[in-house]
Amino acid sequence: KAVHKGRGRRLVDLPGHPFRRRSFWRSRGSSATAPGGHPLLREPIALPDGRTVFRFALPAPGAAYLAEHRVGGMAIAPAATLLEVAVSAADRAGLPTALADLSFDAPLPLDGPREVTVTLDGDTVAIDSRGGDGAWTRHLTAKLSADAPAGWTPDAATEAVDPAVLYGWLDDGGIDLGPGFRRVVEARRGPDGATVTISGVDPAGHRVHPTVLDAMLQALAVVTLGRGDGVMRIPSGAGR
């Protein structure tokens, strides 16, 4: 009004607009699954330098199971989730899905909201995240390979291992697994390998549900249980 004061101008009403009153409320029962079916991965971003990046946030709908994986009293994203996300991202980008020269560079803590990226750069996949401080941390690095890894012959796995003893040992070592991660129902081992029988679960959009994949990795604990110096070790990488 101050701008037009003294200029002989006046305010006029604009004609009304006929609104189409339609509601578009999201259904309570609708799925929170990301586009393409994967619970975490969103649509990829193709960068000008040739890299492809997937972004997602944690915590996320459909990933509440992550809170059941605790190490030293802190919720930590299991290595199985990082592996599944890396392989699923490569598959969606049309790249080889076998991983080689795998390195778990740092744990991914779930003590607050985090932004996570999966970066595909040629034959390399990397997973990074940042929390409230804005600093990025590398969690996984691996090479993508079209060569299938060699299988292991379970003939020598003759010694039975009680799953209750296995999970008690993990608890004593500071690895606290909730019910969703306790899927080993039978285990047998040999001198340098083990076989486990796992209770399955709906993949829910994953290639393999991370709790099932984690149970497969628990075969490493079956091999080392009660052997050597008795110190529990967590894998930091793998050749293939």
Side-chain angles (χ1 to χ4, degrees):
K1 291 183 178 180
V3 173
H4 300 291
K5 187 176 180 180
R7 296 176 179 266
R9 297 170 180 172
R10 62 188 180 88
L11 297 175
V12 297
D13 293 329
L14 293 175
H17 183 79
F19 287 99
R20 297 180 61 187
R21 299 185 181 278
R22 298 174 59 191
S23 298
F24 294 92
W25 295 106
R26 183 175 179 270
S27 169
R28 287 180 178 270
S30 62
S31 171
T33 301
H38 196 280
L40 295 177
L41 297 177
R42 305 291 172 178
E43 289 300 322
I45 302 171
L47 301 180
D49 60 6
R51 293 179 299 158
T52 299
V53 178
F54 293 83
R55 294 179 182 270
F56 61 92
L58 292 175
Y65 68 89
L66 292 174
E68 295 185 25
H69 186 274
R70 306 184 72 84
V71 178
M74 178 182 291
I76 299 289
T81 296
L82 301 181
L83 291 172
E84 197 281 333
V85 166
V87 170
S88 292
D91 183 49
R92 292 187 61 181
L95 297 173
T97 56
L99 301 181
D101 300 330
L102 172 67
S103 173
F104 295 111
D105 302 293
L108 199 170
L110 302 174
D111 54 350
R114 298 193 74 86
E115 178 185 358
V116 184
T117 62
V118 184
T119 304
L120 301 166
D121 185 4
D123 65 348
T124 300
V125 57
I127 298 179
D128 302 88
S129 80
R130 63 179 175 181
D133 62 358
W136 288 98
T137 300
R138 173 65 51 86
H139 302 290
L140 176 147
T141 307
K143 294 290 186 181
L144 300 172
S145 172
D147 298 330
W152 179 73
T153 302
D155 296 342
T158 58
E159 179 189 352
V161 175
D162 185 349
V165 174
L166 169 67
Y167 289 119
W169 183 61
L170 291 174
D171 287 341
D172 292 342
I175 301 179
D176 181 12
L177 303 177
F181 283 91
R182 299 184 178 229
R183 297 195 173 278
V184 175
V185 295
E186 183 180 347
R188 307 188 72 83
R189 69 181 181 180
D192 58 359
T195 62
V196 292
T197 302
I198 300 168
S199 62
V201 65
D202 187 335
H206 297 278
R207 288 171 62 93
V208 177
H209 196 280
T211 60
V212 172
L213 183 55
D214 189 84
M216 297 177 189
L217 297 178
Q218 290 167 23
L220 297 173
V222 172
V223 176
T224 57
L225 173 64
R227 290 177 172 172
D229 57 13
V231 177
M232 185 177 299
R233 293 175 172 83
I234 298 177
S236 60
R240 183 174 298 276

